[in-house]
């Protein structure tokens, strides 16, 4: 009796499904999904990368601490070189823009720089405090500042020097207090920065002001003195926004904290 072709293929499929020897061979041609742990790890890394993008683009709104599940991701971001690459790209764009400006030669063509996380790196402090996952402690941070050991960023020092060579007047505008002037000046010099025109810090009358308001007022004073603010570089949007803003602003990366 002839065996119908349709039944033959049905039987063969059944044999493949039930036979361990045959099914093991078949499975070798099928790419199995990642293990549950690998899948979770990939999803978490993807989430943390997206979270970092959201905070850098100011889409996350006001936030207080880094999500605890993203601490490992930030550690990798800083220690494996991606942060340095990101900063260098921003600095490169800033310099390319600066070269297009025709300076008048009167000393009034200015560029504004923030200090913390823009010229000086406090990464060693934040490493010891969970990369920003711990609530901000002003006393502990001020103790760190007074040590005066924060290193500079290679990309910012290069940009700083290049702008000087082009003829820009450099204005440093920081949220640090006036009482920290001497240690800040020494720290900047030790890190390789020199030749700035102004170092603007919070005075008694500036205490309690939001960063955007304080920095806008300081920039406004510079404009009234005749300075043309062509560029501004900072790690916070509050360094760059408000009024009396520069013609162009350049936000450098900082996913460790937010200042309104």
């Amino acid at each position: 009796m002839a065996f119908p072709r349709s039944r033959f293929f049905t039987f063969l499929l059944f044999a493949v499904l039930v036979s361990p020897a045959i099914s093991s061979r078949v499975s070798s041609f099928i790419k199995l999904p990642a293990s549950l742990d690998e899948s979770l790890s990939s999803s978490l890394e993807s989430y943390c990368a997206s979270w970092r993008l959201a905070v850098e683009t100011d889409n996350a709104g006001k936030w207080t601490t880094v999500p605890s599940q993203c601490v490992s991701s930030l550690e990798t971001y800083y220690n494996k070189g991606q942060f340095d690459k990101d900063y260098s790209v921003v600095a490169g764009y800033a310099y390319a823009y600066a070269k297009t400006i025709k300076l008048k030669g009167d000393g009034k063509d200015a560029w504004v720089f923030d200090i913390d996380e823009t010229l000086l790196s406090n990464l060693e402090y934040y490493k010891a405090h969970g990369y920003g996952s711990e609530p901000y402690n002003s006393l502990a941070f001020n103790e760190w500042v007074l040590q005066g050991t924060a290193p500079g960023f290679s990309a910012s020092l290069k940009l700083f020097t290049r702008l000087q060579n082009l003829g820009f007047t450099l204005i440093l505008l920081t949220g640090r207090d006036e009482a920290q002037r001497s240690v800040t000046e020494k720290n900047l010099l030790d890190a390789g920065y020199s030749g700035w025109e102004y170092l603007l810090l919070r005075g008694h009358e500036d205490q309690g002001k939001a960063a955007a308001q304080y920095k806008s007022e300081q920039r406004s004073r510079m404009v009234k003195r005749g300075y043309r603010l062509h560029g501004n570089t900072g790690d916070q949007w509050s360094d760059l926004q408000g009024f009396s803003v520069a013609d162009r602003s350049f936000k450098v990366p900082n996913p460790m904290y937010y200042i309104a």
Side-chain angles (χ1 to χ4, degrees), residues 2-256:
F3 198 73
R5 182 173 296 182
S6 61
R7 291 187 180 181
F8 174 78
F9 284 114
T10 301
F11 173 80
L12 181 60
L13 177 61
F14 177 79
V16 169
L17 292 175
V18 300
S19 171
I22 297 177
S23 62
S24 65
R25 293 179 183 177
V26 172
S27 66
S28 67
F29 294 98
I30 301 174
K31 186 175 182 180
L32 299 176
S35 70
L36 183 60
D37 289 342
E38 290 174 345
S39 179
L40 286 174
S41 176
S42 176
S43 296
L44 181 58
E45 184 62 32
S46 178
Y47 164 76
C48 292
S50 297
W51 174 82
R52 196 171 69 241
L53 174 64
V55 300
E56 292 292 9
T57 52
D58 204 23
N59 286 320
K62 186 176 182 179
W63 55 278
T64 55
T65 57
V66 169
S68 58
Q69 64 267 38
C70 291
V71 170
S72 178
S73 177
L74 279 193
E75 184 176 12
T76 299
Y77 175 64
Y78 279 98
N79 296 335
K80 298 299 183 179
Q82 189 58 52
F83 167 82
D84 294 323
K85 293 175 183 177
D86 290 349
Y87 198 127
S88 293
V89 167
V90 176
Y93 280 124
Y95 180 57
Y97 159 70
K99 289 191 296 182
T100 68
I101 300 171
K102 294 182 179 180
L103 306 186
K104 293 187 177 181
D106 58 359
K108 296 298 184 178
D109 293 297
W111 197 286
V112 180
F113 278 99
D114 171 57
I115 292 182
D116 291 300
E117 270 56 68
T118 301
L119 296 182
L120 298 178
S121 171
N122 299 302
L123 182 59
E124 289 304 312
Y125 170 85
Y126 282 99
K127 279 183 180 180
H129 293 82
Y131 286 88
S133 63
E134 298 177 8
Y136 175 66
N137 184 320
S138 60
L139 292 178
F141 182 73
N142 286 334
E143 288 177 359
W144 158 262
V145 168
L146 291 176
Q147 293 178 28
T149 57
F153 296 103
S154 59
S156 64
L157 182 56
K158 184 176 181 180
L159 175 61
F160 188 96
T161 302
R162 282 179 159 182
L163 293 176
Q164 281 182 320
N165 292 338
L166 287 175
F168 284 92
T169 294
L170 302 183
I171 299 171
L172 311 189
L173 174 52
T174 175
R176 294 187 178 193
D177 290 343
E178 183 63 42
Q180 297 170 327
R181 176 175 292 276
S182 60
V183 69
T184 300
E185 288 178 337
K186 184 178 185 305
N187 197 163
L188 287 165
L189 291 169
D190 289 345
Y193 302 99
S194 63
W196 60 83
E197 187 72 14
Y198 292 95
L199 172 57
L200 306 176
L201 302 98
R202 282 184 185 263
H204 177 74
E205 69 282 3
D206 300 312
Q207 300 304 314
K209 292 180 181 177
Q213 178 187 354
Y214 156 68
K215 294 204 167 185
S216 293
E217 290 174 353
Q218 293 292 336
R219 290 194 303 266
S220 180
R221 292 189 181 103
M222 293 294 101
V223 171
K224 289 177 180 178
R225 293 182 181 182
Y227 288 98
R228 297 176 290 276
L229 308 182
H230 294 289
N232 186 3
T233 304
D235 67 289
Q236 300 290 318
W237 286 104
S238 55
D239 296 331
L240 312 172
Q241 297 173 335
F243 53 90
S244 297
V245 297
D247 294 335
R248 278 198 64 179
S249 295
F250 295 87
K251 167 75 168 63
V252 298
N254 178 12
M256 293 190 297

